[in-house]
């Protein structure tokens, strides 16, 4: 998936402007990068278009993930994007659903296994019931 398509999908899912979708996507991916191990950030970035790779700021020197729950994830996205937490929660769902479509199923699984159970509510729109992941069009 190219960058414009990724952003267009976030625009569609959040019903917002392109500019706001870019900010929400950046805020979500920056926060996700903090929550993942360095190696996983590198793996994820490798499957995304260049503008999104830069947002992830992958660094092979930083292996440890910052451990925080879903509520803190949403709060960080809200702060970064300058939106309230309800808008941030919707944006996280939209970006994760778009991410699911943009990367391989195996990579999405790898990303999701690094997140604790309290993230399930935000991830479920991109997942089938239980732990089985579903790719659109598959």
């Amino acid at each position: 998936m190219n960058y414009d398509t990724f952003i267009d999908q976030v625009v569609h899912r959040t019903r917002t402007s392109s500019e706001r979708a870019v900010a929400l996507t950046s805020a979500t991916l920056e926060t996700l990068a903090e929550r993942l191990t360095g190696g996983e950030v590198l793996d994820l970035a490798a499957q995304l278009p260049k503008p999104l790779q830069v947002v992830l700021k992958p660094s092979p020197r930083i292996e440890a993930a910052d451990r925080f729950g879903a509520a803190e994830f949403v709060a960080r996205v809200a702060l970064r994007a300058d939106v309230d937490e309800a808008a941030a929660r919707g944006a996280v769902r939209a970006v994760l659903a778009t991410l699911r479509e943009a990367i391989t199923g195996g990579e999405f699984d790898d990303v999701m296994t690094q997140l604790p159970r309290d993230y399930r509510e935000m991830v479920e729109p991109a997942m089938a019931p239980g732990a089985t992941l579903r790719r659109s069009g598959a």
Side-chain angles (χ1 to χ4, degrees), residues 86-97:
R89 188 171 292 103
V92 169
R93 286 185 183 126
V95 171
L96 289 176

Side-chain angles (χ1 to χ4, degrees), residues 1-13 25 29 44-53 94-104 108 135-137:
M1 180 181 295
N2 69 34
Y3 177 76
D4 291 337
T5 302
F6 194 104
I7 297 302
D8 287 346
Q9 287 297 316
V10 176
V11 166
H12 174 73
R13 287 182 167 117
T25 298
L29 292 178
L44 175 58
Q47 293 193 23
L48 293 174
K50 286 270 188 238
L52 298 179
Q53 290 177 7
V95 171
L96 289 176
T98 305
L99 187 66
R100 175 67 188 94
E101 296 169 354
I103 63 176
T104 66
F108 190 77
R135 190 163 174 86
S136 65

Side-chain angles (χ1 to χ4, degrees), residues 48-77:
L48 293 174
K50 286 270 188 238
L52 298 179
Q53 290 177 7
V54 173
V55 170
L56 284 170
K57 299 178 182 111
S59 172
R61 296 183 307 253
I62 303 171
E63 183 54 29
D66 192 359
R67 302 289 178 196
F68 51 87
E72 176 65 18
F73 191 101
V74 169
R76 290 183 187 201
V77 170

Side-chain angles (χ1 to χ4, degrees), residues 71-86:
E72 176 65 18
F73 191 101
V74 169
R76 290 183 187 201
V77 170
L79 187 62
R80 282 189 166 111
D82 194 26
V83 296
D84 63 30
E85 289 194 11

Side-chain angles (χ1 to χ4, degrees), residues 9-33:
Q9 287 297 316
V10 176
V11 166
H12 174 73
R13 287 182 167 117
T14 59
R15 296 182 173 95
T16 191
S17 69
S18 291
E19 295 77 22
R20 176 55 71 191
V22 167
L24 294 168
T25 298
S26 294
T28 300
L29 292 178
E30 285 177 41
T31 306
L32 184 61

